[in-house]
Amino acid sequence: MILVPDLTDIVKNAESDAERRVARLLRELTGDLDAVAFYSVKLRSHAYKQQAEADFVVLWKKCLIVIEVKGGGVRKHEGIWYSVDRRNDWHKLSSSPMEQAQSAMYALRDILREEGVGWFAHEAVVITPDIETPPHSVEWQPSHWLAKDGMTVEGLAQALDTITDAARRPPAGKRIARADEVRTRLFGEFTRMPVIDAQRGAVIEEQNRATVGQARVLAALARNPRVMVFGGAGTGKSLVLVEAAKQEAGEGRSVLITFHSPELLQFFAPHVAGRDIAVLPFTQLTSDQVYDVVFVDEAQDLMDAEMMDRLDAVVVGGRDRGRWRMFLDSNNQSHVDGGFDDDVFEIVASEALSVDLELNVRNTQAIVHMVQEYLGADVGDPGIVHGEKVRWHTFDGAADVAAAEIVAEQLVADGVRRKDIWIIETDSTAAPTVTPQGFTLTSPRYAKGLEAESVVLCDLPESFDDAGTAAFYVSVTRARVSLNIVVTKDDRRRLQELVRQRLVKK
């Protein structure tokens, strides 16, 4: 079964050893390829609380099961429920564990009902792995309270099968939700992408939540052997890749994440640290090591015959029968670094399911609109509605690094942290350095696939040919919160001409 987050994260973050034990059992369950379990789910609507939490929400054989886990002992005395810790101290509970599970179940049902999901079977279950036999009551079915004797993979699978076989049947005339619809909605509700830099108000908070599009892609990746994920800059491709790689590793498969730009190593390595996931630039791959699943980021840089032959050698079953996922942006980034062969692309695309990420979850609405206006590039619909306007700074002299540092220092004076500011020389291919003032100075080639909270652009391309346009595209789409562009009057005229040319082509 797929766990969200994966088992490594649950073991690390769970406060209860009982929850860790249940997570390990759930991960080992087989028998339902669509099964998924979400851990520590906060529900945003509740009958008597503003927010409730379910220990696990499990989709098993088309039935949604909310599980409440209670470690230690559980007793009822004179109508009051208590938990009992290992020192035999009693702690009063606000309600019975079953009532807690049922309350969370109804809250979840109401959430999905509000979102237009049809009727689906739903059950509430309690697991008390430390007590020999569950308490009996007319308030619940004995099958819905599991105790120590059932804490094996076989025992849990049998219990879930019993629960789903006897689950509620749909009322007459109700539209029944499809299992894949419920599954995708669950991914959308409960998956949260990792935070990769400082929180910055509403903008960063919006960016951290998985979008419906990302949820759909995560669901598709789990169920299909070969997938091509298309999305413009800022649509969350790399973050989806990380979460999907964790899921594959959690299923016991050997996983490789690979890419063309060596700079992406510093992005991916921290996100999968402590997991059995290899992270290697494509140029370092050898046929001596093969993997069950291969993830390729910025695949547009590797779309030629030689690179695809190398992929064929490192994935079990080869490229045409193996399990791989390619993430790519065919807008303009393919002209910055690497190679893109249209004929090779057509062959590879025919071997896989294609899905699209359509919502931009990195760039603010202002940045998305600017990219569309000047480049006509599809970077997704703007999902981040807050944020500053794109700021243009016209200099009479050179619009170079020195000018960019003046703008960057003003950002620092306004409260932006120095380490969160990048200066991108748009016409450069140089590796990143740090200026004497402490700002990261980089180029489109090395910034591609990465992002910063605030970006200052300088040294715009002398020509907006394919290479110049691609460099500008990559540069302007790196910013998460604010984008400042340093220009000369000549730069402004060339940009205006770029817009006119695009409108003529329409």
Side-chain angles (χ1 to χ4, degrees), residues 2 40 57 66 70 159 171 178 180 215 234 238 266 305 369 388 394 466 503:
I2 293 173
S40 189
V57 173
V66 174
K70 279 285 185 287
R178 302 190 314 272
D180 60 343
S238 297
Q266 63 181 290
H369 287 164
E388 305 169 2
T394 304
D466 285 346
L503 292 176

Side-chain angles (χ1 to χ4, degrees), residues 183-434:
R183 192 173 192 271
T184 297
R185 291 299 182 108
L186 292 176
F187 271 95
E189 281 291 329
F190 306 138
T191 305
R192 290 188 63 86
M193 297 302 174
V195 179
I196 64 173
D197 63 8
Q199 297 290 317
R200 183 76 182 276
V203 175
I204 303 297
E205 175 58 27
E206 285 180 308
Q207 289 164 340
N208 288 338
R209 188 173 295 278
T211 67
V212 173
Q214 288 170 328
R216 178 173 49 78
V217 171
L218 281 169
L221 291 178
R223 300 171 64 186
N224 294 277
R226 293 170 295 282
V227 185
M228 297 191 81
V229 181
F230 295 87
T235 52
K237 298 186 298 297
S238 297
L239 294 178
V240 171
L241 187 156
V242 166
E243 293 301 302
K246 290 179 182 179
Q247 291 177 2
E248 294 287 349
E251 292 291 299
R253 300 186 180 100
S254 58
V255 178
L256 167 68
I257 297 175
T258 188
F259 35 80
H260 180 69
S261 173
E263 289 298 302
L264 288 174
L265 181 63
Q266 63 181 290
F267 171 81
F268 286 115
H271 283 78
V272 298
R275 296 175 173 82
D276 189 19
I277 298 176
V279 182
L280 291 170
F282 208 78
T283 54
Q284 296 182 17
L285 299 184
T286 67
S287 56
D288 296 336
Q289 176 66 54
V290 295
Y291 301 88
D292 296 325
V293 194
V294 175
F295 289 81
V296 184
D297 197 31
E298 304 291 350
Q300 72 276 357
D301 298 340
L302 304 167
M303 199 58 64
D304 60 35
E306 179 183 354
M307 297 300 187
M308 289 300 103
D309 286 344
R310 187 174 297 183
L311 173 63
D312 189 68
V314 298
V315 62
V316 173
R319 196 197 67 233
D320 59 339
R321 296 185 306 277
R323 188 174 181 87
W324 52 258
R325 291 87 172 79
M326 296 189 191
F327 293 72
L328 66 162
D329 174 5
S330 55
N331 278 317
N332 294 289
Q333 295 197 54
S334 55
H335 299 291
V336 173
D337 200 13
F340 187 92
D341 186 311
D342 288 316
D343 293 334
V344 172
F345 169 73
E346 291 297 330
I347 294 172
V348 176
S350 68
E351 300 169 346
L353 171 74
S354 294
V355 294
D356 296 296
L357 285 169
E358 299 171 339
L359 189 66
N360 190 299
V361 294
R362 174 198 297 151
N363 307 128
T364 63
Q365 186 177 67
I367 296 173
V368 170
H369 287 164
M370 190 277 288
V371 173
Q372 293 170 342
E373 177 185 1
Y374 283 90
L375 299 174
D378 182 8
V379 291
D381 295 328
I384 314 305
V385 298
H386 300 90
E388 305 169 2
K389 294 180 179 179
V390 176
R391 296 179 181 177
W392 299 83
H393 306 267
T394 304
F395 282 73
D396 292 333
D400 55 10
V401 175
E405 284 188 306
I406 294 173
V407 175
E409 289 289 359
Q410 184 57 55
L411 292 176
V412 172
D414 291 340
V416 180
R417 294 185 299 187
R418 196 174 296 268
K419 71 182 185 69
D420 292 331
I421 301 173
W422 283 6
I423 296 174
I424 301 180
E425 284 187 283
T426 313
D427 66 351
S428 171
T429 58
T433 60
V434 178

Side-chain angles (χ1 to χ4, degrees), residues 477-495:
T477 53
R478 298 308 96 195
R480 296 185 71 184
V481 176
S482 68
L483 174 63
N484 289 260
I485 305 177
V486 175
V487 293
T488 64
K489 292 179 180 178
D490 285 342
D491 290 332
R492 295 301 295 261
R493 282 194 289 269
R494 283 184 288 114
L495 286 167

Side-chain angles (χ1 to χ4, degrees), residues 58-165:
V58 176
L59 182 62
W60 179 260
K61 298 186 177 179
K62 300 181 181 181
C63 183
L64 204 57
I65 302 171
V66 174
I67 299 176
E68 176 72 18
V69 180
K70 279 285 185 287
V74 178
R75 295 181 184 176
K76 185 179 183 181
H77 179 69
E78 295 183 352
I80 305 297
W81 283 89
Y82 298 86
S83 64
V84 185
D85 62 27
R86 61 189 111 166
R87 293 188 300 269
N88 204 35
D89 291 334
W90 290 33
H91 305 276
K92 184 178 178 179
L93 299 175
S94 59
S95 58
S96 76
M98 184 60 75
E99 287 176 316
Q100 294 176 33
Q102 291 173 339
S103 180
M105 177 193 70
Y106 291 129
L108 176 57
R109 179 200 63 186
D110 292 343
I111 289 170
L112 296 180
R113 179 179 293 170
E114 290 170 7
E115 296 186 357
V117 176
W119 186 93
F120 54 89
H122 49 282
E123 299 291 331
V125 172
V126 173
I127 298 181
T128 48
D130 297 320
I131 66 175
E132 296 295 336
T133 57
H136 292 280
S137 172
V138 295
E139 298 175 17
W140 59 79
Q141 301 177 57
S143 59
H144 286 52
W145 193 309
L146 314 181
K148 190 174 184 178
D149 290 345
M151 290 299 98
T152 64
V153 174
E154 296 77 13
L156 183 56
Q158 182 178 357
L160 293 180
D161 284 342
T162 299
I163 291 166
T164 55
D165 288 343

